[in-house]
């Protein structure tokens, strides 16, 4: 009776040195190399710049059609939208525990994301209210304010951090409630900009703009 050889064995018999392999996912080290290349090649910055330019263009169009009933506003997320954690991510080799990530954040030395700063300056110059809505906790307010100022965001109409019941809510839910409150206060949120879909889902913004972030995911 003929024996049926497993495929891997057949290959190694037929081609000698050829390695029979399972169809495995991309190796983690290769993925990390790709993330570094995306950043270091300048493509990450270019992609951010492109999205912010589109957002600015939209804001300009809207400012040309002013409304009497509502005050124009923009909403910016902080991490990977206004400030970059990239140096910390590299130090932690794109990993780290939640404590390590927050410790790094609380150094207060995150560099600016330049295109977003330019949009912020354009908004301020045109009397558009600026609100930061971040997943950072209320306890991080002082360090976050200091970091924003150091990066060039000198003042704002509101800095909203997670507090109370919202500490354990999904980001999309918490951020949506905060935008709803702003609209109830008489603001028209013309732009909402973030690097996560959870920054942008849930409405209460005329247009949303998603910045690239292949580095982490926040549900
Ligand atoms: Mg973010």
């Amino acid at each position: 009776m003929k024996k049926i050889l497993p495929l891997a064995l057949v290959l190694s018999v037929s081609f000698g040195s050829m390695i029979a392999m399972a169809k495995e996912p991309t190796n983690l080290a290769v993925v990390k190399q790709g993330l570094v290349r995306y950043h270091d090649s300048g493509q990450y910055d270019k992609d951010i710049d492109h999205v912010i330019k589109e957002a600015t263009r939209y804001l300009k169009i809207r400012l040309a059609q002013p409304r009497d009933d509502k005050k124009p506003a923009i909403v910016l997320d902080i991490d990977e939208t206004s400030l970059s954690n990239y140096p910390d991510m590299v130090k932690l080799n794109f990993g780290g525990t939640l404590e390590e990530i927050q410790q790094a954040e609380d150094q207060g030395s995150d560099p600016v994301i330049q295109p977003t700063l330019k949009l912020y300056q354009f908004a301020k110059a045109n009397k558009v209210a600026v609100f930061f809505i971040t997943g950072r906790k209320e306890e991080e307010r002082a360090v976050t304010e200091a970091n924003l100022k150091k990066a060039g965001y000198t003042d704002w109409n509101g800095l909203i951090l997670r507090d109370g019941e919202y500490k354990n809510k999904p980001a999309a839910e918490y951020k949506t409630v905060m935008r709803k409150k702003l609209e109830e206060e008489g603001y028209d949120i013309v732009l909402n900009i973030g690097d996560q879909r959870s920054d942008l889902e849930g409405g209460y913004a005329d247009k949303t703009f998603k910045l690239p972030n292949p580095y982490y995911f926040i549900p």
Side-chain angles (χ1 to χ4, degrees), residues 47-66:
D47 289 349
I48 291 174
D49 192 54
H50 177 75
V51 176
I52 295 291
K53 277 197 176 120
E54 285 295 306
T56 308
R57 208 161 61 96
Y58 179 70
L59 181 57
K60 282 180 185 167
I61 292 168
R62 290 296 307 277
L63 289 176
Q65 311 154 359

Side-chain angles (χ1 to χ4, degrees), residues 14-59:
S14 315
F15 300 103
S17 64
M18 184 167 171
I19 303 165
M21 290 174 72
K23 204 173 171 232
E24 61 188 319
T26 309
N27 189 279
L28 183 57
V30 175
V31 173
K32 288 181 181 179
Q33 284 163 11
L35 295 178
V36 170
R37 208 163 38 243
Y38 179 55
H39 177 273
D40 292 357
S41 66
Q43 193 59 46
Y44 176 50
D45 286 347
K46 270 188 209 158
D47 289 349
I48 291 174
D49 192 54
H50 177 75
V51 176
I52 295 291
K53 277 197 176 120
E54 285 295 306
T56 308
R57 208 161 61 96
Y58 179 70
L59 181 57

